[in-house]
């Protein structure tokens, strides 16, 4: 089916379920679903009920689209996202972002768990994404361009909105939360990287690496949404010793750092609304 037809069906269904005028959309990353507990929920819709929404298959990811208020601001929040490595096409991965746009969202706040290749980062640190490298993943705009969403060749000189970055840094300062700023490189996963791959990812100019976010950012920029994104460092790619990285460790580290992310997103939503 045509992407636009799918989008229209999804949007029309959601309009029958909610009367929400959220300007802020949120996507919660692996192990970062707790934020949904501080949202004053108006409506919570399981992905399985929503036409064309894929169902998240990964442990640590919920599967609900939540409408409500965060910090007094109306939001719609994906508790659980879709990853390319689950077998969804890049276009399916970004469907919810486009749905957000079509429902009136203007700004998206994205979060993810990521591995650090910057040796100054520690597990549990937060990094505000200032730029990304997308070359190792499929660009979600490949295929016939949907002119009603955006242009064929979008500019990517400011993928992450600098005003939102500045606001986040202020919030960090005021609340004693250290925030790095850096470059996120997207990979497909689902394997974690080899030592050689982590080294290469560092050499090409990244600070962290992860399996999400960038396709969503590209689709968001394409359709004119402002993007803010933050990574929670859940493991160290560049490390001494021979330890292994596990999904459980990633989820555990995300959970530990989660309160900082909740505060940051709550304050950002408040300041936007
Ligand atoms: N690599 C890729 N994706 C990740 C990692 C990592 O080390 N940690 C969390 N997501």
């Amino acid at each position: 089916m045509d992407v636009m037809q799918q989008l229209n069906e999804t949007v029309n269904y959601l309009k029958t379920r909610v009367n929400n005028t959220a300007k802020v959309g949120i996507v919660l990353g692996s192990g970062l679903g707790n934020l949904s507990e501080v949202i004053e929920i108006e409506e919570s819709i399981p992905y399985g009920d929503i036409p064309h929404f894929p169902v998240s298959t990964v442990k640590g990811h919920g599967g609900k689209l939540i409408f409500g208020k965060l910090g007094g601001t109306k939001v719609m929040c994906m508790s659980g996202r879709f990853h390319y490595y689950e077998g969804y096409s890049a276009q399916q991965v970004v469907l919810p972002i486009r749905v957000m746009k079509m429902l009136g969202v203007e700004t998206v706040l994205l979060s993810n768990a990521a591995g650090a290749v910057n040796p100054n980062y520690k597990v549990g640190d937060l990094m505000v994404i200032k730029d990304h490298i997308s070359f190792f993943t499929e660009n979600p705009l490949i295929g016939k361009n949907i002119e009603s969403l955006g242009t064929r060749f979008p500019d990517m000189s400011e993928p992450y909105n600098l005003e939102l970055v500045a606001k986040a840094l202020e919030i960090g300062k005021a609340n004693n939360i250290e925030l790095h700023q850096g470059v996120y490189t997207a990979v497909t996963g689902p394997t974690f990287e080899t030592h050689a791959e982590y080294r290469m990812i560092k050499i090409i100019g990244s600070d962290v690496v992860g399996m999400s976010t960038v396709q969503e950012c590209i689709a968001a920029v394409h359709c004119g949404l402002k993007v803010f994104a933050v990574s929670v460092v859940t493991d160290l790619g560049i490390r001494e010793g021979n330890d292994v990285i596990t999904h459980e460790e990633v989820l555990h580290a995300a959970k530990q750092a989660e309160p900082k992310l909740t505060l940051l997103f709550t304050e950002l939503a408040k300041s936007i609304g």
Side-chain angles (χ1 to χ4, degrees):
M1 190 194 287
D2 178 66
V3 178
M4 205 56 218
Q5 199 179 332
Q6 273 192 355
L7 282 166
N8 282 327
E9 286 182 10
T10 308
V11 168
N12 288 340
Y13 170 80
L14 289 171
K15 281 182 175 166
T16 67
R17 290 290 305 265
V18 283
N19 191 8
N20 185 291
T21 50
K23 296 273 183 284
V24 179
I26 296 174
V27 181
L28 300 178
S30 295
L32 299 169
N34 277 1
L35 178 84
S36 58
E37 282 165 26
V38 300
I39 296 177
E40 257 178 75
I41 298 180
E42 288 161 13
E43 191 76 50
S44 173
I45 308 176
Y47 290 161
D49 289 0
I50 308 174
H52 310 302
F53 250 55
V55 176
S56 178
T57 64
V58 193
K59 199 171 141 202
H61 277 264
K64 285 177 303 210
L65 187 60
I66 295 167
F67 293 83
K69 276 191 182 162
L70 178 66
T73 297
K74 281 193 171 190
V75 298
M76 61 184 282
C77 175
M78 287 183 71
S79 180
R81 64 145 60 84
F82 312 117
H83 304 84
Y84 190 66
Y85 64 72
E86 292 174 83
Y88 305 122
S89 68
Q91 283 195 346
Q92 278 177 300
V93 167
V94 303
L95 175 117
I97 299 293
R98 291 170 161 169
V99 166
M100 286 179 177
K101 168 74 181 183
M102 291 168 71
L103 286 172
V105 164
E106 293 170 358
T107 302
V108 287
L109 311 180
L110 313 175
S111 63
N112 61 61
V117 294
N118 183 324
N120 298 321
Y121 292 6
K122 303 180 299 299
V123 168
D125 284 357
L126 298 190
M127 188 198 86
V128 173
I129 304 181
K130 284 200 73 177
D131 207 344
H132 71 222
I133 294 170
S134 75
F135 294 154
F136 305 119
T137 51
E138 186 186 324
N139 194 305
L141 306 183
I142 288 174
K144 189 170 181 299
N145 186 46
I146 306 171
E147 288 295 326
S148 59
L149 289 177
T151 177
R152 171 77 287 185
F153 300 107
D155 173 73
M156 288 298 282
S157 56
E158 190 186 318
Y160 301 91
N161 183 271
L162 291 179
E163 272 176 43
L164 292 171
V165 170
K167 262 189 201 167
L169 296 180
E170 271 173 35
I171 292 165
K173 215 174 222 167
N175 292 280
N176 237 343
I177 296 173
E178 184 191 9
L179 293 174
H180 301 295
Q181 299 174 64
V183 175
Y184 177 103
T185 284
V187 291
T188 64
T191 43
F192 291 113
E193 290 65 45
T194 65
H195 291 287
E197 286 164 348
Y198 280 121
R199 279 197 301 274
M200 181 198 75
I201 287 165
K202 173 171 183 269
I203 288 165
I204 61 173
S206 338
D207 298 289
V208 301
V209 52
M211 306 174 193
S212 66
T213 303
V214 161
Q215 289 168 328
E216 294 160 6
C217 171
I218 289 171
V221 169
H222 176 244
C223 67
L225 290 167
K226 287 185 201 163
V227 181
F228 174 81
V230 64
S231 291
V232 174
V233 173
T234 54
D235 52 275
L236 305 179
I238 304 286
R239 61 193 185 278
E240 316 240 315
N242 245 342
D243 53 326
V244 299
I245 297 172
T246 65
H247 185 53
E248 283 65 34
E249 168 193 357
V250 166
L251 292 183
H252 179 75
K255 207 148 207 64
Q256 297 300 306
E258 220 275 331
K260 294 191 282 188
L261 179 88
T262 295
L263 189 145
L264 180 60
F265 273 17
T266 305
E267 292 301 313
L268 265 178
K270 206 185 274 179
S271 77
I272 296 166

